[in-house]
Amino acid sequence: MASIFCCFRGCASFLDLGFATPAVPIKKQPTIALDQQQIGQEVVLVKDGSRICGTGGALGNTAIMQDKAYFEVRLQQSGIWGIGLGSEKADVNTVPMGNDTDSWVMCSDGYLRHNKEETHHITQLPQEGDTIGVSYNHIELNFYLNGQKLDCPFTNVRGQVYPAVYVDDGAVLDVVFDNFVHDPPPGFDKIILSNCLS
C-alpha cells in the first residue's frame, strides 16, 4: 500500500495536482578544515581548506576539545613544511613555526620545535607521498610516519590548541580530518567539531 501511495505522490508531483511536497533546502553541515581566517599572509588554501601551499602557516577551524584526537597530513610535494598544533596566538606568518611559545611542530628537517628549542630529531624523514599522523590526548602530542609511531612526543602542550601546519619552498600538504589512510591509535578518533561551528 505504501509503495502505491509513493507512486501516486510521484505521479501527483508530475501532474502538479497540489500534492507535491515543497523542496526543503539542505543546510550544509560545517566541516573541519584549515581556517581561512587563521592563515599566513602568503598562504593559499585550496580543496575546501584541506590543501595548503604558498609560504606560511594555518590553523584548523576548530580547537581540539576531546580527550583523544587524531588527524593526518599527506605530503603531496616536498619543500619546507611543519605539522603539529598551535594556539590562536601562534605566528602563522613566520616559517618555521615552533619558534614561539604557541606552536609545537615536527618540521621537514626532522626536528621537533617549540619555543625556539629542538626537542627531538627523527632520522627517517617523510618523503613525497608519505602520510604523517598526529595524535593528541592533552598529555602527549605524538607523530606517526605511514602508520608507525615515531616515539618523539611533545609533553609540554598547554592550553586550547588547533591543528597547525606550515609550508614554504614549494611544499604542498593535504590535511585530512576523516577517512584516514591509517587507523588512528587505539582510543583515538577524528577531531570533533566544537559547538561554535555548528
Side-chain angles (χ1 to χ4, degrees):
M1 181 69 173
S3 62
I4 293 172
F5 177 75
C6 289
C7 181
F8 177 74
R9 187 174 61 180
C11 293
S13 175
F14 175 73
L15 296 174
D16 196 18
L17 298 176
F19 298 115
T21 306
V24 177
I26 298 174
K27 182 180 176 186
K28 184 177 179 183
Q29 293 296 318
T31 58
I32 300 176
L34 296 175
D35 190 346
Q36 290 281 354
Q37 305 303 311
Q38 292 284 346
I39 62 173
Q41 294 174 347
E42 297 180 25
V43 166
V44 177
L45 298 181
V46 294
K47 295 179 70 176
D48 294 325
S50 66
R51 177 170 285 178
I52 181 173
C53 48
T55 298
L59 300 179
N61 63 357
T62 191
I64 299 174
M65 305 302 283
Q66 73 219 60
D67 291 338
K68 294 182 176 183
Y70 178 82
F71 66 97
E72 290 180 341
V73 178
R74 294 183 189 132
L75 180 54
Q76 296 295 346
Q77 186 169 309
S78 295
I80 297 171
W81 53 264
I83 300 163
L85 301 176
S87 78
E88 284 184 318
K89 296 179 184 177
D91 185 357
V92 293
N93 285 302
T94 303
V95 172
M97 290 177 76
N99 285 324
D100 58 18
T101 59
D102 296 301
S103 57
W104 298 260
V105 293
M106 179 178 77
C107 303
S108 54
D109 62 5
Y111 284 99
L112 275 67
R113 290 188 173 92
H114 168 67
N115 199 20
K116 297 183 183 176
E117 293 181 16
E118 296 171 344
T119 59
H120 294 283
H121 185 260
I122 60 169
T123 55
Q124 186 181 359
L125 299 179
Q127 304 296 314
E128 281 186 20
D130 284 346
T131 299
I132 299 105
V134 181
S135 69
Y136 179 59
N137 64 4
H138 298 272
I139 297 170
E140 285 188 348
L141 167 60
N142 280 290
F143 299 94
Y144 302 78
L145 180 58
N146 297 321
Q148 299 300 311
K149 189 174 182 180
L150 293 175
D151 290 318
C152 55
F154 280 111
T155 57
N156 61 346
V157 179
R158 301 288 181 263
Q160 183 171 291
V161 292
Y162 299 76
V165 293
Y166 73 83
V167 292
D168 194 12
D169 197 29
V172 177
L173 302 176
D174 282 355
V175 185
V176 180
F177 294 107
D178 59 8
N179 300 320
F180 303 123
V181 172
H182 301 283
D183 290 334
F188 286 79
D189 203 356
K190 66 183 179 179
I191 298 171
I192 298 171
L193 279 170
S194 65
N195 289 337
C196 64
L197 283 180
S198 44

Short mmCIF file of all heavy atoms in Angstrom, two decimals, residues 55-122:
data_model
loop_
_atom_site.label_atom_id
_atom_site.label_comp_id
_atom_site.label_asym_id
_atom_site.label_seq_id
_atom_site.Cartn_x
_atom_site.Cartn_y
_atom_site.Cartn_z
N THR A 55 53.52 30.24 1.31
CA THR A 55 54.51 30.43 2.38
C THR A 55 53.80 30.90 3.64
O THR A 55 53.13 31.93 3.64
CB THR A 55 55.57 31.48 1.98
OG1 THR A 55 56.27 31.01 0.83
CG2 THR A 55 56.56 31.72 3.10
N GLY A 56 53.95 30.13 4.70
CA GLY A 56 53.35 30.48 5.99
C GLY A 56 52.58 29.32 6.57
O GLY A 56 52.65 28.19 6.08
N GLY A 57 51.82 29.62 7.62
CA GLY A 57 51.11 28.58 8.33
C GLY A 57 49.61 28.77 8.33
O GLY A 57 49.09 29.79 7.87
N ALA A 58 48.92 27.77 8.86
CA ALA A 58 47.47 27.81 9.00
C ALA A 58 47.07 26.96 10.20
O ALA A 58 47.74 25.97 10.52
CB ALA A 58 46.79 27.29 7.74
N LEU A 59 45.98 27.37 10.83
CA LEU A 59 45.40 26.60 11.93
C LEU A 59 44.09 25.99 11.47
O LEU A 59 43.43 26.51 10.56
CB LEU A 59 45.13 27.51 13.13
CG LEU A 59 46.33 28.21 13.75
CD1 LEU A 59 45.86 29.08 14.91
CD2 LEU A 59 47.37 27.21 14.21
N GLY A 60 43.68 24.92 12.11
CA GLY A 60 42.39 24.33 11.85
C GLY A 60 41.28 25.23 12.33
O GLY A 60 41.49 26.13 13.16
N ASN A 61 40.07 24.99 11.85
CA ASN A 61 38.94 25.85 12.21
C ASN A 61 38.21 25.44 13.48
O ASN A 61 37.19 26.02 13.83
CB ASN A 61 37.94 25.95 11.05
CG ASN A 61 37.31 24.63 10.69
OD1 ASN A 61 37.63 23.59 11.25
ND2 ASN A 61 36.41 24.66 9.72
N THR A 62 38.74 24.45 14.20
CA THR A 62 38.15 24.07 15.48
C THR A 62 39.24 23.62 16.43
O THR A 62 40.22 23.00 16.02
CB THR A 62 37.08 22.97 15.31
OG1 THR A 62 36.36 22.82 16.53
CG2 THR A 62 37.67 21.64 14.93
N ALA A 63 39.08 23.98 17.69
CA ALA A 63 40.03 23.56 18.72
C ALA A 63 39.83 22.08 19.02
O ALA A 63 38.75 21.52 18.80
CB ALA A 63 39.83 24.39 19.97
N ILE A 64 40.86 21.46 19.54
CA ILE A 64 40.77 20.05 19.95
C ILE A 64 40.27 20.03 21.39
O ILE A 64 41.00 20.38 22.32
CB ILE A 64 42.13 19.34 19.81
CG1 ILE A 64 42.57 19.37 18.35
CG2 ILE A 64 42.03 17.92 20.35
CD1 ILE A 64 43.95 18.82 18.10
N MET A 65 39.01 19.65 21.54
CA MET A 65 38.38 19.66 22.86
C MET A 65 38.24 18.26 23.46
O MET A 65 38.15 18.12 24.67
CB MET A 65 36.99 20.31 22.77
CG MET A 65 37.00 21.70 22.15
SD MET A 65 38.02 22.89 23.01
CE MET A 65 36.99 23.27 24.39
N GLN A 66 38.24 17.24 22.60
CA GLN A 66 38.02 15.89 23.09
C GLN A 66 39.30 15.34 23.72
O GLN A 66 40.38 15.90 23.56
CB GLN A 66 37.55 14.98 21.95
CG GLN A 66 38.66 14.64 20.97
CD GLN A 66 38.20 14.61 19.54
OE1 GLN A 66 37.73 15.61 19.05
NE2 GLN A 66 38.36 13.48 18.89
N ASP A 67 39.16 14.21 24.41
CA ASP A 67 40.29 13.63 25.13
C ASP A 67 41.37 13.07 24.20
O ASP A 67 42.55 13.20 24.49
CB ASP A 67 39.82 12.51 26.07
CG ASP A 67 39.01 13.06 27.24
OD1 ASP A 67 39.16 14.25 27.56
OD2 ASP A 67 38.22 12.29 27.81
N LYS A 68 40.97 12.43 23.12
CA LYS A 68 41.94 11.77 22.24
C LYS A 68 41.59 12.06 20.79
O LYS A 68 40.61 11.52 20.26
CB LYS A 68 41.95 10.26 22.48
CG LYS A 68 42.45 9.87 23.86
CD LYS A 68 42.49 8.36 24.01
CE LYS A 68 43.09 7.97 25.35
NZ LYS A 68 43.20 6.51 25.46
N ALA A 69 42.39 12.89 20.14
CA ALA A 69 42.12 13.32 18.77
C ALA A 69 43.24 12.89 17.83
O ALA A 69 44.40 12.78 18.24
CB ALA A 69 41.95 14.82 18.72
N TYR A 70 42.86 12.70 16.56
CA TYR A 70 43.82 12.26 15.54
C TYR A 70 43.49 12.94 14.22
O TYR A 70 42.32 13.13 13.89
CB TYR A 70 43.73 10.74 15.38
CG TYR A 70 44.63 10.13 14.33
CD1 TYR A 70 45.97 9.87 14.61
CD2 TYR A 70 44.15 9.81 13.07
CE1 TYR A 70 46.80 9.30 13.65
CE2 TYR A 70 44.97 9.24 12.11
CZ TYR A 70 46.30 8.99 12.41
OH TYR A 70 47.12 8.42 11.46
N PHE A 71 44.53 13.31 13.47
CA PHE A 71 44.37 13.75 12.09
C PHE A 71 45.62 13.36 11.31
O PHE A 71 46.62 12.94 11.90
CB PHE A 71 44.08 15.27 11.99
CG PHE A 71 45.19 16.18 12.43
CD1 PHE A 71 46.05 16.74 11.49
CD2 PHE A 71 45.35 16.52 13.76
CE1 PHE A 71 47.06 17.62 11.88
CE2 PHE A 71 46.35 17.39 14.16
CZ PHE A 71 47.20 17.94 13.23
N GLU A 72 45.54 13.44 10.00
CA GLU A 72 46.66 13.06 9.14
C GLU A 72 47.01 14.19 8.17
O GLU A 72 46.16 15.02 7.84
CB GLU A 72 46.33 11.81 8.31
CG GLU A 72 46.23 10.55 9.11
CD GLU A 72 45.91 9.32 8.29
OE1 GLU A 72 45.42 9.45 7.14
OE2 GLU A 72 46.16 8.22 8.79
N VAL A 73 48.25 14.16 7.72
CA VAL A 73 48.71 15.10 6.71
C VAL A 73 49.46 14.30 5.66
O VAL A 73 50.34 13.51 5.98
CB VAL A 73 49.62 16.19 7.32
CG1 VAL A 73 50.13 17.12 6.23
CG2 VAL A 73 48.89 16.96 8.41
N ARG A 74 49.06 14.51 4.39
CA ARG A 74 49.73 13.83 3.28
C ARG A 74 50.70 14.81 2.63
O ARG A 74 50.32 15.92 2.24
CB ARG A 74 48.72 13.32 2.27
CG ARG A 74 47.84 12.24 2.86
CD ARG A 74 46.86 11.64 1.87
NE ARG A 74 45.94 10.78 2.58
CZ ARG A 74 44.63 10.81 2.44
NH1 ARG A 74 44.07 11.63 1.59
NH2 ARG A 74 43.86 10.00 3.13
N LEU A 75 51.94 14.39 2.50
CA LEU A 75 52.97 15.22 1.89
C LEU A 75 52.85 15.07 0.37
O LEU A 75 53.32 14.09 -0.21
CB LEU A 75 54.35 14.79 2.38
CG LEU A 75 55.57 15.55 1.84
CD1 LEU A 75 55.42 17.04 2.04
CD2 LEU A 75 56.83 15.03 2.50
N GLN A 76 52.20 16.04 -0.26
CA GLN A 76 51.97 15.98 -1.71
C GLN A 76 53.18 16.43 -2.51
O GLN A 76 53.45 15.91 -3.59
CB GLN A 76 50.75 16.83 -2.09
CG GLN A 76 49.46 16.34 -1.50
CD GLN A 76 49.05 14.97 -2.02
OE1 GLN A 76 49.56 14.46 -3.00
NE2 GLN A 76 48.09 14.37 -1.35
N GLN A 77 53.91 17.44 -1.98
CA GLN A 77 55.09 17.94 -2.68
C GLN A 77 56.11 18.39 -1.64
O GLN A 77 55.76 19.08 -0.69
CB GLN A 77 54.71 19.11 -3.59
CG GLN A 77 55.85 19.60 -4.46
CD GLN A 77 55.35 20.57 -5.51
OE1 GLN A 77 54.40 20.28 -6.24
NE2 GLN A 77 55.99 21.72 -5.58
N SER A 78 57.36 17.99 -1.83
CA SER A 78 58.42 18.32 -0.89
C SER A 78 58.72 19.80 -0.87
O SER A 78 58.36 20.55 -1.77
CB SER A 78 59.69 17.54 -1.24
OG SER A 78 59.48 16.17 -1.06
N GLY A 79 59.43 20.20 0.14
CA GLY A 79 59.83 21.59 0.37
C GLY A 79 60.08 21.73 1.85
O GLY A 79 60.48 20.77 2.52
N ILE A 80 59.82 22.89 2.39
CA ILE A 80 59.93 23.13 3.82
C ILE A 80 58.52 23.11 4.39
O ILE A 80 57.64 23.80 3.87
CB ILE A 80 60.63 24.48 4.09
CG1 ILE A 80 62.06 24.43 3.55
CG2 ILE A 80 60.61 24.82 5.58
CD1 ILE A 80 62.77 25.77 3.57
N TRP A 81 58.30 22.34 5.43
CA TRP A 81 56.96 22.20 5.99
C TRP A 81 57.04 21.82 7.47
O TRP A 81 58.09 21.42 7.96
CB TRP A 81 56.14 21.15 5.23
CG TRP A 81 56.82 19.81 5.10
CD1 TRP A 81 57.55 19.37 4.05
CD2 TRP A 81 56.87 18.77 6.08
NE1 TRP A 81 58.05 18.11 4.31
CE2 TRP A 81 57.64 17.73 5.54
CE3 TRP A 81 56.33 18.61 7.35
CZ2 TRP A 81 57.90 16.53 6.24
CZ3 TRP A 81 56.57 17.44 8.04
CH2 TRP A 81 57.34 16.42 7.47
N GLY A 82 55.92 21.93 8.15
CA GLY A 82 55.80 21.50 9.54
C GLY A 82 54.37 21.16 9.86
O GLY A 82 53.43 21.67 9.25
N ILE A 83 54.22 20.28 10.84
CA ILE A 83 52.91 19.72 11.21
C ILE A 83 52.84 19.62 12.72
O ILE A 83 53.81 19.17 13.34
CB ILE A 83 52.74 18.32 10.59
CG1 ILE A 83 52.82 18.39 9.08
CG2 ILE A 83 51.46 17.66 11.07
CD1 ILE A 83 53.06 17.05 8.43
N GLY A 84 51.72 20.00 13.29
CA GLY A 84 51.56 19.84 14.73
C GLY A 84 50.34 20.55 15.25
O GLY A 84 49.26 20.46 14.68
N LEU A 85 50.54 21.31 16.34
CA LEU A 85 49.46 22.03 16.99
C LEU A 85 49.88 23.46 17.27
O LEU A 85 51.08 23.75 17.40
CB LEU A 85 49.08 21.36 18.33
CG LEU A 85 48.61 19.91 18.28
CD1 LEU A 85 48.38 19.40 19.70
CD2 LEU A 85 47.36 19.77 17.44
N GLY A 86 48.89 24.34 17.36
CA GLY A 86 49.17 25.73 17.72
C GLY A 86 47.97 26.34 18.40
O GLY A 86 46.83 25.92 18.18
N SER A 87 48.24 27.36 19.22
CA SER A 87 47.15 28.11 19.83
C SER A 87 46.73 29.21 18.86
O SER A 87 47.37 29.43 17.83
CB SER A 87 47.60 28.71 21.16
OG SER A 87 48.41 29.86 20.93
N GLU A 88 45.67 29.94 19.21
CA GLU A 88 45.22 31.04 18.38
C GLU A 88 46.29 32.13 18.23
O GLU A 88 46.26 32.90 17.28
CB GLU A 88 43.95 31.67 18.96
CG GLU A 88 42.71 30.85 18.72
CD GLU A 88 41.45 31.55 19.23
OE1 GLU A 88 41.50 32.13 20.34
OE2 GLU A 88 40.45 31.53 18.50
N LYS A 89 47.24 32.17 19.16
CA LYS A 89 48.30 33.18 19.12
C LYS A 89 49.51 32.73 18.31
O LYS A 89 50.47 33.49 18.17
CB LYS A 89 48.74 33.51 20.55
CG LYS A 89 47.66 34.14 21.39
CD LYS A 89 48.17 34.41 22.80
CE LYS A 89 47.09 34.94 23.69
NZ LYS A 89 47.56 35.13 25.07
N ALA A 90 49.50 31.53 17.78
CA ALA A 90 50.65 31.04 17.01
C ALA A 90 50.94 31.97 15.83
O ALA A 90 50.02 32.46 15.17
CB ALA A 90 50.39 29.62 16.51
N ASP A 91 52.21 32.20 15.56
CA ASP A 91 52.62 33.08 14.47
C ASP A 91 52.56 32.31 13.16
O ASP A 91 53.45 31.52 12.85
CB ASP A 91 54.03 33.60 14.72
CG ASP A 91 54.47 34.61 13.69
OD1 ASP A 91 53.72 34.87 12.73
OD2 ASP A 91 55.59 35.15 13.83
N VAL A 92 51.51 32.54 12.38
CA VAL A 92 51.32 31.82 11.11
C VAL A 92 52.02 32.51 9.94
O VAL A 92 51.99 32.01 8.83
CB VAL A 92 49.82 31.61 10.79
CG1 VAL A 92 49.18 30.66 11.80
CG2 VAL A 92 49.07 32.94 10.74
N ASN A 93 52.66 33.64 10.20
CA ASN A 93 53.38 34.35 9.15
C ASN A 93 54.88 34.05 9.13
O ASN A 93 55.58 34.47 8.22
CB ASN A 93 53.18 35.87 9.28
CG ASN A 93 51.81 36.28 8.83
OD1 ASN A 93 51.42 36.04 7.70
ND2 ASN A 93 51.05 36.87 9.74
N THR A 94 55.36 33.34 10.14
CA THR A 94 56.79 33.04 10.24
C THR A 94 57.03 31.55 10.01
O THR A 94 56.37 30.71 10.60
CB THR A 94 57.32 33.45 11.63
OG1 THR A 94 57.07 34.83 11.82
CG2 THR A 94 58.81 33.19 11.74
N VAL A 95 57.98 31.28 9.14
CA VAL A 95 58.39 29.90 8.87
C VAL A 95 59.83 29.76 9.35
O VAL A 95 60.67 30.59 9.03
CB VAL A 95 58.29 29.61 7.35
CG1 VAL A 95 58.89 28.27 7.02
CG2 VAL A 95 56.85 29.69 6.89
N PRO A 96 60.14 28.72 10.13
CA PRO A 96 59.24 27.66 10.55
C PRO A 96 58.42 28.06 11.77
O PRO A 96 58.84 28.90 12.55
CB PRO A 96 60.19 26.51 10.90
CG PRO A 96 61.43 27.19 11.39
CD PRO A 96 61.52 28.46 10.59
N MET A 97 57.27 27.43 11.91
CA MET A 97 56.52 27.55 13.16
C MET A 97 57.31 26.74 14.19
O MET A 97 58.22 26.01 13.86
CB MET A 97 55.10 27.01 12.99
CG MET A 97 54.23 27.90 12.10
SD MET A 97 52.55 27.26 11.83
CE MET A 97 51.77 27.64 13.40
N GLY A 98 56.96 26.91 15.45
CA GLY A 98 57.69 26.23 16.52
C GLY A 98 58.73 27.13 17.16
O GLY A 98 59.42 26.73 18.09
N ASN A 99 58.86 28.35 16.67
CA ASN A 99 59.81 29.31 17.26
C ASN A 99 59.14 30.22 18.28
O ASN A 99 59.75 31.18 18.74
CB ASN A 99 60.49 30.14 16.17
CG ASN A 99 61.53 29.33 15.44
OD1 ASN A 99 62.21 28.50 16.03
ND2 ASN A 99 61.64 29.55 14.15
N ASP A 100 57.89 29.94 18.62
CA ASP A 100 57.19 30.72 19.63
C ASP A 100 56.65 29.78 20.70
O ASP A 100 56.78 28.56 20.60
CB ASP A 100 56.07 31.56 19.00
CG ASP A 100 55.04 30.73 18.24
OD1 ASP A 100 54.97 29.50 18.45
OD2 ASP A 100 54.31 31.32 17.43
N THR A 101 56.04 30.36 21.71
CA THR A 101 55.51 29.54 22.81
C THR A 101 54.15 28.96 22.48
O THR A 101 53.58 28.24 23.29
CB THR A 101 55.38 30.39 24.10
OG1 THR A 101 54.51 31.50 23.83
CG2 THR A 101 56.74 30.89 24.57
N ASP A 102 53.63 29.29 21.28
CA ASP A 102 52.27 28.91 20.93
C ASP A 102 52.16 27.87 19.82
O ASP A 102 51.08 27.69 19.26
CB ASP A 102 51.49 30.17 20.54
CG ASP A 102 51.35 31.13 21.70
OD1 ASP A 102 50.77 30.71 22.72
OD2 ASP A 102 51.85 32.26 21.60
N SER A 103 53.26 27.22 19.45
CA SER A 103 53.19 26.16 18.43
C SER A 103 54.18 25.05 18.76
O SER A 103 55.26 25.29 19.29
CB SER A 103 53.43 26.73 17.03
OG SER A 103 54.68 27.38 16.95
N TRP A 104 53.75 23.83 18.42
CA TRP A 104 54.53 22.61 18.64
C TRP A 104 54.48 21.84 17.33
O TRP A 104 53.42 21.34 16.94
CB TRP A 104 53.89 21.77 19.75
CG TRP A 104 53.83 22.45 21.08
CD1 TRP A 104 54.67 22.25 22.13
CD2 TRP A 104 52.85 23.39 21.54
NE1 TRP A 104 54.28 23.02 23.20
CE2 TRP A 104 53.18 23.74 22.86
CE3 TRP A 104 51.74 24.00 20.95
CZ2 TRP A 104 52.44 24.65 23.61
CZ3 TRP A 104 50.99 24.91 21.68
CH2 TRP A 104 51.34 25.23 23.00
N VAL A 105 55.62 21.74 16.62
CA VAL A 105 55.59 21.15 15.28
C VAL A 105 56.75 20.20 15.02
O VAL A 105 57.84 20.36 15.56
CB VAL A 105 55.59 22.24 14.18
CG1 VAL A 105 54.29 23.03 14.19
CG2 VAL A 105 56.77 23.16 14.31
N MET A 106 56.47 19.21 14.17
CA MET A 106 57.51 18.37 13.57
C MET A 106 57.82 19.00 12.22
O MET A 106 56.91 19.23 11.42
CB MET A 106 57.03 16.94 13.37
CG MET A 106 58.11 16.06 12.73
SD MET A 106 57.59 14.35 12.52
CE MET A 106 56.54 14.51 11.09
N CYS A 107 59.08 19.29 11.98
CA CYS A 107 59.49 20.01 10.78
C CYS A 107 60.10 19.07 9.74
O CYS A 107 60.55 17.96 10.06
CB CYS A 107 60.51 21.09 11.14
SG CYS A 107 59.87 22.26 12.36
N SER A 108 60.15 19.53 8.51
CA SER A 108 60.63 18.73 7.39
C SER A 108 62.09 18.32 7.55
O SER A 108 62.53 17.34 6.94
CB SER A 108 60.45 19.49 6.07
OG SER A 108 61.05 20.77 6.14
N ASP A 109 62.87 19.03 8.37
CA ASP A 109 64.27 18.65 8.59
C ASP A 109 64.41 17.59 9.68
O ASP A 109 65.52 17.20 10.03
CB ASP A 109 65.12 19.88 8.91
CG ASP A 109 64.70 20.60 10.18
OD1 ASP A 109 63.78 20.13 10.89
OD2 ASP A 109 65.28 21.68 10.45
N GLY A 110 63.28 17.12 10.22
CA GLY A 110 63.30 16.06 11.22
C GLY A 110 63.29 16.54 12.65
O GLY A 110 63.19 15.74 13.58
N TYR A 111 63.40 17.85 12.88
CA TYR A 111 63.39 18.38 14.24
C TYR A 111 61.98 18.68 14.71
O TYR A 111 61.14 19.13 13.94
CB TYR A 111 64.23 19.65 14.33
CG TYR A 111 65.71 19.38 14.33
CD1 TYR A 111 66.45 19.51 13.16
CD2 TYR A 111 66.37 18.96 15.49
CE1 TYR A 111 67.81 19.25 13.14
CE2 TYR A 111 67.74 18.69 15.48
CZ TYR A 111 68.45 18.84 14.30
OH TYR A 111 69.79 18.56 14.29
N LEU A 112 61.75 18.44 15.99
CA LEU A 112 60.52 18.86 16.65
C LEU A 112 60.84 20.16 17.36
O LEU A 112 61.81 20.22 18.14
CB LEU A 112 60.03 17.80 17.64
CG LEU A 112 59.17 16.69 17.02
CD1 LEU A 112 59.96 15.82 16.09
CD2 LEU A 112 58.51 15.88 18.10
N ARG A 113 60.05 21.20 17.06
CA ARG A 113 60.37 22.53 17.58
C ARG A 113 59.20 23.11 18.39
O ARG A 113 58.05 23.00 18.01
CB ARG A 113 60.69 23.47 16.42
CG ARG A 113 61.99 23.17 15.74
CD ARG A 113 62.37 24.25 14.72
NE ARG A 113 63.69 24.01 14.20
CZ ARG A 113 63.95 23.30 13.09
NH1 ARG A 113 62.97 22.78 12.41
NH2 ARG A 113 65.20 23.14 12.69
N HIS A 114 59.62 23.79 19.46
CA HIS A 114 58.69 24.57 20.28
C HIS A 114 59.52 25.62 21.02
O HIS A 114 60.58 25.29 21.58
CB HIS A 114 57.96 23.69 21.30
CG HIS A 114 57.23 24.47 22.34
ND1 HIS A 114 56.14 25.26 22.07
CD2 HIS A 114 57.46 24.63 23.68
CE1 HIS A 114 55.71 25.84 23.18
NE2 HIS A 114 56.51 25.47 24.16
N ASN A 115 59.06 26.87 21.00
CA ASN A 115 59.69 27.95 21.74
C ASN A 115 61.19 28.08 21.42
O ASN A 115 62.01 28.21 22.32
CB ASN A 115 59.46 27.76 23.25
CG ASN A 115 59.68 29.03 24.03
OD1 ASN A 115 59.64 30.11 23.48
ND2 ASN A 115 59.93 28.87 25.32
N LYS A 116 61.52 27.98 20.14
CA LYS A 116 62.90 28.10 19.64
C LYS A 116 63.81 26.98 20.12
O LYS A 116 65.02 27.08 20.07
CB LYS A 116 63.51 29.46 20.01
CG LYS A 116 62.80 30.63 19.40
CD LYS A 116 63.50 31.93 19.73
CE LYS A 116 62.71 33.09 19.14
NZ LYS A 116 63.27 34.37 19.49
N GLU A 117 63.23 25.89 20.59
CA GLU A 117 64.02 24.75 21.04
C GLU A 117 63.73 23.55 20.16
O GLU A 117 62.60 23.34 19.72
CB GLU A 117 63.70 24.40 22.50
CG GLU A 117 64.12 25.45 23.49
CD GLU A 117 63.79 25.06 24.92
OE1 GLU A 117 63.52 23.86 25.17
OE2 GLU A 117 63.80 25.95 25.78
N GLU A 118 64.78 22.75 19.91
CA GLU A 118 64.63 21.50 19.17
C GLU A 118 64.62 20.38 20.20
O GLU A 118 65.64 20.12 20.84
CB GLU A 118 65.78 21.35 18.17
CG GLU A 118 65.74 22.44 17.11
CD GLU A 118 66.96 22.49 16.22
OE1 GLU A 118 68.00 21.89 16.57
OE2 GLU A 118 66.87 23.14 15.17
N THR A 119 63.46 19.75 20.38
CA THR A 119 63.32 18.78 21.47
C THR A 119 63.66 17.36 21.07
O THR A 119 64.09 16.58 21.90
CB THR A 119 61.89 18.82 22.03
OG1 THR A 119 60.97 18.52 20.97
CG2 THR A 119 61.56 20.20 22.60
N HIS A 120 63.43 16.99 19.82
CA HIS A 120 63.75 15.65 19.31
C HIS A 120 64.20 15.79 17.87
O HIS A 120 63.95 16.80 17.22
CB HIS A 120 62.50 14.74 19.31
CG HIS A 120 61.97 14.40 20.66
ND1 HIS A 120 62.56 13.48 21.48
CD2 HIS A 120 60.89 14.88 21.34
CE1 HIS A 120 61.86 13.39 22.60
NE2 HIS A 120 60.84 14.24 22.54
N HIS A 121 64.83 14.72 17.38
CA HIS A 121 65.17 14.67 15.95
C HIS A 121 64.86 13.26 15.45
O HIS A 121 65.29 12.27 16.05
CB HIS A 121 66.64 15.00 15.72
CG HIS A 121 66.99 15.05 14.26
ND1 HIS A 121 67.60 14.01 13.61
CD2 HIS A 121 66.78 16.01 13.34
CE1 HIS A 121 67.77 14.33 12.33
NE2 HIS A 121 67.28 15.54 12.14
N ILE A 122 64.11 13.18 14.35
CA ILE A 122 63.84 11.88 13.76
C ILE A 122 64.80 11.69 12.59
O ILE A 122 65.17 12.64 11.92
CB ILE A 122 62.37 11.75 13.30
CG1 ILE A 122 62.01 12.80 12.25
CG2 ILE A 122 61.42 11.83 14.48
CD1 ILE A 122 60.69 12.56 11.56
#
